[in-house]
Amino acid sequence: MENITNFINGEYVEPLTDKYLDVFEPATGKVYAQVPSSGLADVEIAVDVAQAAFGNWSRTSMEDRATILNHISERLHERSDEMAVYESRDTGKPISLARTVDIPRAITNLRFFAEYVRSFEVETILDGNNSLNRVSRSPLGVVGCISPWNLPLYLFTWKIAPALAVGNCVIAKPSEITPYTAFKFGEICVDAGLPEGVLNIVHGPGVPTGDALVTHHDVKAISFTGGTDTGKIIAGKVSSMFKKLSLEMGGKNPAIIFSDCNYEKMLETVVRSSFSNQGQICLCTSRILVQDNIMGRFRSDFIRKVDDIQAGDPIQDSTDFGAISSEVQREKIMDYIALAKSEGGKVLRGGLLMNLAGRCENGWFIEPTIIEGLGPLCRTNQEEIFGPVVTLIPFKNETEAIEIANSTEYGLSATIWTEDPEKANRVSDSVESGVIWVNCWMVRDLRTPFGGMKRSGLGREGGDDILRFFTESKNICTA
Ligand code: NAD
């Protein structure tokens, strides 16, 4: 049994609480490690050392900070295979996904911000009366980064890289459900020469660990990714403290499929957007809106393609559908499938727990599930399930498609399938989502804003948006 420890001031240390939680391998349902359940005192020490490190780190030139981030990215690249195995073991995701998406994207996040920060220079604005405005942007100090379990290292690095690049010191709290790659990341930072105290990783559950970070007086900003209910609690806590807050939260993402789409490309992509990572990506499609004149064809082709998905032990190269990341999440998903049935939904495929033989016989697997026959306003079509469950919903025309797409309280992402560019533009402009993909899914240029509207988010990550979030602007006007 391995003991995960906190990473504070460049060293691995036991939590002062001396309390630990079990870490499970979802594919087997077995405990394989223990993670600290850190308390207020652990967070306080981390903040103190981060504050002590801030002076030097914030005065280090942008060029030198970028060089260190690049070194971290290179060390991570060297350890890619090993990190992919850890990520697959911790989350239940197929090793192929960890190898091709999670770890490469974590490497890219670090490399991207190391480069991109160089263009984030002082801005000057000369007005008509010959006054010169110089806008300077300085780091905030110590900031908190809280990340979820579905894309552990991918989202961890997506937050810490921009925060560090602009000169902040960071206290990061990974999900207690999937802490292992963040644990190993400390070694990589030491190897890459990141100064002590600049990044500190404190493990533990939302309460008390996350809460201690969120409410710490000297933590100047919180960047959070997770569920909307958690985001709401955090927003309530920090609002009276005047901290900067960025929230990336849940979704109920529609795919809107018009009959004039590129059918084969759409079909292949919608299977992926529905069931990648067992539907546990915040950007996964959960409501499939199909124009009624192609619903029959789509239904049978989609079921056929879903039947071909290779479910199995995540560690096998051939597996493309693995386990659900936690037992709690597995139960929540099964409750939603039961709810869908009670609301009158017809289960076209799946709907059951999957029993695998051998090593995975006690693992947490659910079949890819397709449900039809539910109105857009029922709970199944309104609430985030965050698992391998999609619903099919017919629509007649553009107006109705937009109305259904916008009928939830969420607004994270949407995909639109049509070969008519004007229609694509009209629908994109009308759908209330922070991220819209036309005839594609999960294509990302990291310079672009990323985030949700309505109950899906507050603020944006990516490019300039996140660099601005992690800095304080000052305008100096000279006339
Ligand atoms: P969660 O809200 O339970 O936990 C997220 C993180 O917050 C974890 O590290 C957790 O320990 C911490 N936390 C929990 N309670 C806290 C509190 N009171 N104070 C401080 N920290 C606290 O979410 P999850 O179950 O880990 O992740 C799944 C959710 O994340 C889904 O809703 C999914 O849509 C969302 N998500 C959103 C995005 C996005 O970019 N919008 C990306 C990935 C996941």
Side-chain angles (χ1 to χ4, degrees):
M1 182 78 54
E2 190 159 357
N3 250 16
I4 292 170
T5 45
N6 290 331
F7 179 73
I8 298 176
N9 212 20
E11 288 180 352
Y12 283 106
V13 291
E14 306 280 340
L16 294 172
T17 55
D18 206 25
K19 286 190 187 150
Y20 288 84
L21 305 170
D22 289 338
V23 185
F24 293 84
E25 178 176 9
T28 62
K30 289 190 185 140
V31 176
Y32 78 91
Q34 300 262 296
V35 65
S37 177
S38 307
L40 177 62
D42 297 293
V43 170
E44 281 177 341
I45 288 177
V47 174
D48 286 350
V49 302
Q51 273 191 314
F54 178 67
N56 278 345
W57 182 245
S58 58
R59 282 192 299 271
T60 302
S61 71
M62 212 172 261
E63 207 54 43
D64 288 348
R65 288 197 299 259
T67 302
I68 293 178
L69 283 182
N70 271 326
H71 284 159
I72 298 175
S73 171
E74 285 156 16
R75 296 291 93 76
L76 181 57
H77 184 260
E78 286 160 14
R79 294 180 64 176
S80 296
D81 290 346
E82 170 198 348
M83 294 299 256
V85 171
Y86 299 148
E87 205 69 304
S88 169
R89 178 179 61 180
D90 233 6
T91 58
K93 69 178 66 204
I95 183 75
S96 58
L97 197 67
R99 267 195 211 120
T100 57
V101 176
D102 291 74
I103 306 305
R105 175 59 190 272
I107 294 165
T108 303
N109 287 339
L110 291 152
R111 191 185 303 138
F112 169 77
F113 281 109
E115 291 309 314
Y116 193 74
V117 73
R118 295 171 210 256
S119 62
F120 190 64
E121 294 291 345
V122 170
E123 192 182 338
T124 49
I125 303 165
L126 187 63
D127 86 3
N129 301 320
N130 272 348
S131 65
L132 177 70
N133 293 281
R134 183 168 65 85
V135 184
S136 76
R137 299 199 173 92
S138 46
L140 303 174
V142 179
V143 300
C145 295
I146 301 178
S147 45
W149 48 259
N150 63 327
L151 300 165
L153 197 66
Y154 174 137
L155 291 175
F156 177 91
T157 49
W158 179 234
K159 292 181 182 302
I160 64 153
L164 296 174
V166 293
N168 296 291
C169 289
V170 174
I171 316 295
K173 197 207 80 64
S175 171
E176 66 280 20
I177 295 170
T178 55
Y180 204 82
T181 45
F183 167 54
K184 286 287 166 184
F185 195 78
E187 290 170 9
I188 288 174
C189 290
V190 172
D191 287 352
L194 185 71
E196 291 163 5
V198 169
L199 171 67
N200 305 278
I201 305 168
V202 181
H203 294 277
V207 180
T209 322
D211 186 61
L213 182 57
V214 163
T215 54
H216 195 295
H217 183 265
D218 295 325
V219 174
K220 302 297 181 197
I222 294 290
S223 167
F224 165 81
T225 298
T228 300
D229 289 345
T230 313
K232 191 175 167 189
I233 293 170
I234 293 175
K237 297 245 168 158
V238 306
S239 61
S240 60
M241 300 180 82
F242 305 111
K243 278 184 207 280
K244 284 185 123 181
L245 179 64
S246 161
L247 299 174
E248 297 295 343
M249 304 183 286
K252 193 71 185 171
N253 311 316
I256 307 174
I257 302 170
F258 290 97
S259 54
D260 60 358
C261 66
N262 175 334
Y263 189 83
E264 289 309 319
K265 182 180 177 196
M266 174 279 296
L267 187 63
E268 186 264 320
T269 312
V270 174
V271 172
R272 224 162 32 83
S273 73
S274 301
F275 296 114
S276 280
N277 203 31
Q278 301 73 250
Q280 301 171 124
I281 301 178
C282 56
L283 305 164
C284 271
T285 299
S286 59
R287 296 176 297 150
I288 307 181
L289 282 47
V290 187
Q291 197 150 24
D292 51 9
N293 56 345
I294 57 162
M295 179 59 105
R297 178 182 176 202
F298 176 79
R299 183 191 299 111
S300 53
D301 290 342
F302 187 64
I303 290 172
R304 186 173 42 76
K305 284 263 185 200
V306 171
D307 285 345
D308 288 343
I309 292 176
Q310 193 62 45
D313 186 344
I315 208 64
Q316 302 291 336
D317 284 337
S318 56
T319 296
D320 45 39
F321 185 90
I324 302 302
S325 297
S326 74
E327 202 169 9
V328 170
Q329 187 61 18
R330 182 182 66 162
E331 274 162 28
K332 180 182 156 199
I333 297 164
M334 292 310 289
D335 286 349
Y336 268 108
I337 294 172
L339 173 74
K341 288 183 195 160
S342 74
E343 288 184 314
K346 182 178 172 203
V347 178
L348 300 177
R349 267 302 181 275
L352 299 173
L353 295 176
M354 241 189 302
N355 295 315
L356 303 185
R359 194 182 94 87
C360 298
E361 64 180 351
N362 295 316
W364 304 326
F365 295 84
I366 297 179
E367 296 174 339
T369 300
I370 311 168
I371 297 172
E372 193 182 34
L374 291 169
L377 300 182
C378 68
R379 280 184 57 202
T380 308
N381 276 327
Q382 289 289 313
E383 297 176 14
E384 186 185 46
I385 300 173
F386 212 56
V389 180
V390 291
T391 56
L392 305 188
I393 307 173
F395 68 86
K396 281 194 269 314
N397 53 34
E398 209 175 302
T399 310
E400 193 186 14
I402 293 166
E403 196 182 308
I404 297 171
N406 288 343
S407 68
T408 76
E409 290 185 308
Y410 293 106
L412 185 53
S413 79
T415 46
I416 298 166
W417 293 94
T418 174
E419 289 295 288
D420 175 346
E422 286 180 13
K423 190 196 288 179
N425 283 342
R426 283 193 306 271
V427 178
S428 304
D429 287 345
S430 305
V431 169
E432 296 160 351
S433 282
V435 181
I436 306 253
W437 280 295
V438 177
N439 299 330
C440 60
W441 179 69
M442 279 288 266
V443 178
R444 287 280 297 131
D445 180 326
L446 303 188
R447 293 170 298 184
T448 62
F450 174 88
M453 296 180 179
K454 305 199 285 192
R455 282 170 64 87
S456 289
L458 189 70
R460 294 290 181 270
E461 296 188 314
D464 278 347
D465 287 75
I466 195 63
L467 296 184
R468 282 173 195 244
F469 172 77
F470 279 126
T471 50
E472 198 73 84
S473 312
K474 183 189 281 178
N475 187 54
I476 303 148
C477 175
T478 308

